[in-house]
């Protein structure tokens, strides 16, 4: 399978709830990162995972957490949802063997609305 | 802290025009710079990637340049078409997969 796939594509939650977003990396890619894109803004780096370990984090609180599985698929979990968490969440995968040489492949995103 | 700025924020041109989108960044310590295209409500499509040691990359009607020392990149689109209408984002790679994005340029090409 080629490309990065994300699920669900759209979801609506209420403030205080928890959400899990899923990502299947492109075949052969061992590194995954997550980005949050608010309306009208550029994506913001949340964190990245390499070999099932968090390997870099942006300016996001601990209620944003993630997992990477042995097959390199990944989850993003957000607890205690706030209205400002409404955004498009993007997953990107690559091979991390050489820093900077890799091209990131992005999924189509999961659109989260918090009411 | 790395900051990326894109000018203009929006651009409207008639079909057939050549155009230039600008991107500037504050810290020259980057691995590479990528230009992406994003259609409304969709994910990102990588257009061009320029390594820090390179000065330009070309793909079809697109040409991207990089001047790392001055912290600038341009995306040149030749003979624009209505299908080019989208938001164009530039992003600098500060290490592995940590990209710092600009806020984008919304391009509208009218028939």
């Amino acid at each position: 399978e080629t490309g990065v796939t994300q699920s669900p594509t759209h979801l609506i939650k209420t403030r205080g709830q928890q959400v899990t977003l899923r990502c299947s990396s492109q075949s052969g890619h061992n590194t995954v990162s997550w980005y949050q894109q608010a309306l009208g803004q550029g994506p913001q780096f949340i964190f990245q995972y390499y070999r099932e370990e968090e390997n870099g984090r942006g300016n996001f609180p601990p209620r944003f957490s993630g997992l990477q599985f042995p097959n390199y698929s990944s989850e993003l979990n957000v607890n205690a949802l706030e209205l400002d968490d409404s955004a498009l969440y993007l997953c990107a995968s690559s091979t991390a063997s050489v820093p900077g040489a890799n091209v990131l492949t992005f999924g189509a995103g999961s659109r989260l609305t918090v009411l | 802290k790395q900051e990326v700025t894109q000018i203009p924020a929006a651009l409207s041109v008639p079909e057939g025009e050549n155009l230039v989108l600008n991107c500037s960044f504050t810290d020259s310590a980057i691995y590479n710079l990528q230009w992406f295209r994003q259609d409304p409500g969709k994910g990102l499509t990588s257009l061009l990637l320029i390594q820090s040691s390179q000065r330009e990359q070309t793909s079809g009607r697109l040409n991207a340049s990089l001047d790392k020392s001055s912290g600038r990149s341009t995306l040149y689109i030749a003979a624009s078409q209505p299908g080019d209408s989208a938001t164009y984002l530039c992003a600098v790679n500060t290490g592995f997969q940590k990209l710092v994005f600009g806020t984008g340029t919304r391009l509208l090409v009218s028939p």
Side-chain angles (χ1 to χ4, degrees), chain A residues 48-60:
Chain A
Q48 67 180 17
Y49 278 79
Y50 174 64
R51 293 184 175 177
E52 304 174 49
E53 295 286 333
E54 186 178 295
N55 184 29
R57 189 178 184 93
N59 189 26
F60 281 82

Side-chain angles (χ1 to χ4, degrees), chain A residues 31-33 35 37 41-43 45 48 88 90 92 94 96 99-104 106-108 111, chain B residues 31-32 34 36 38 41-46 49 51 89 93 95-104:
Chain A
T31 304
V32 66
S33 57
Y35 289 79
Q37 186 178 23
Q41 301 297 314
F45 175 76
Q48 67 180 17
L88 180 68
L90 296 163
S94 77
N102 48 301
V103 175
L104 275 71
F106 279 83
R111 171 76 62 187
Chain B
Y31 285 99
N32 58 50
Q34 274 183 272
F36 293 89
Q38 186 172 35
K42 304 297 185 182
L44 307 180
T45 300
S46 180
L49 179 145
Q51 299 294 347
L89 294 156
N93 187 330
F96 286 95
Q97 296 198 56
K98 184 176 181 180
L99 301 185
V100 179
F101 284 83
T103 53

Side-chain angles (χ1 to χ4, degrees), chain A residues 8 12 19-20 48 52 54-55 57 61-62 65-66 75 80 84 89-90 92 94 99-100 109-111 115:
Chain A
I12 299 174
V19 68
T20 297
Q48 67 180 17
E52 304 174 49
E54 186 178 295
N55 184 29
R57 189 178 184 93
S65 63
E75 287 183 354
D84 286 348
Y89 288 85
L90 296 163
S94 77
S110 293
R111 171 76 62 187
L115 302 176

Side-chain angles (χ1 to χ4, degrees), chain B residues 70-87:
Chain B
S70 68
R72 295 182 180 182
S73 176
T74 61
L75 178 66
Y76 175 81
I77 303 177
S80 58
Q81 303 171 357
D84 295 331
S85 298
T87 295

